[in-house]
Amino acid sequence: MTFNHQFSRLFQLDKIQPPRDFLPMSSDFWQINVNNICLEIGAGKGKHALQFAKNNPNFQLIAIERTEQKFVAMQKVANAETFANLTVIHADAVAWAVHGVPKQSLAQIFILYPNPEPHNPNQRWLNMPFFEFLLSRLQPNGKITLASNIADYIDEAYQKSVDIWQLPTLKSQVPTDSERTHFEVKYLARGETCWQLDITKPSDYCTRFDDV
């Protein structure tokens, strides 16, 4: 199956330069860990990344954070814990994914409490042409987990996922005792409701980047 291309601009791969000081993962990394590699976009200070690495020793997690201050905090904790299944990256996630992630290589992608981009909705993840490329890096039956405390953001993302990207999508409320990220802890402590989308890529799903 494929989505309706007329509703999505084609992502311009040739416009994306490699991140500064880009060091790709080795080919052995992708081959040895096939079917067990996950990506976290906007990992912040690494709270979820560390929890995931600890609780899922059979999976490799690549945690990317663009903001230097947050990345340094995550790197410090990651170095202290020395999890062999966690790699932290300081880079823009779009550029790093374009130049560093092979097609159909990721079992799961986490996007937890992203910037809602209130003044630029086109920069929301499911509104971006890049999202098609990101789907091409996901394995068949792979999953994307998106969480936010903003109901309108989640509702829009759900609509885009189902109607535009034509992906099986489940919407659920985050348990009030969940502690995956610092944002999640803060929002739930204030009594806010947090929401999650679990998006699955069907085994026969096609994108325009499957051969790239």
Side-chain angles (χ1 to χ4, degrees), residues 172-189:
S172 61
Q173 188 172 327
V174 174
T176 57
D177 60 350
S178 185
E179 298 181 340
R180 289 178 297 184
T181 77
H182 292 92
F183 282 125
E184 188 166 81
V185 171
K186 180 176 68 173
Y187 297 146
L188 292 174

Side-chain angles (χ1 to χ4, degrees), residues 68-85:
E68 183 174 6
Q69 184 178 10
K70 292 180 180 179
F71 168 76
V72 169
M74 175 169 62
Q75 185 180 48
K76 182 178 179 180
V77 177
N79 288 342
E81 296 287 350
T82 62
F83 286 115
N85 62 334

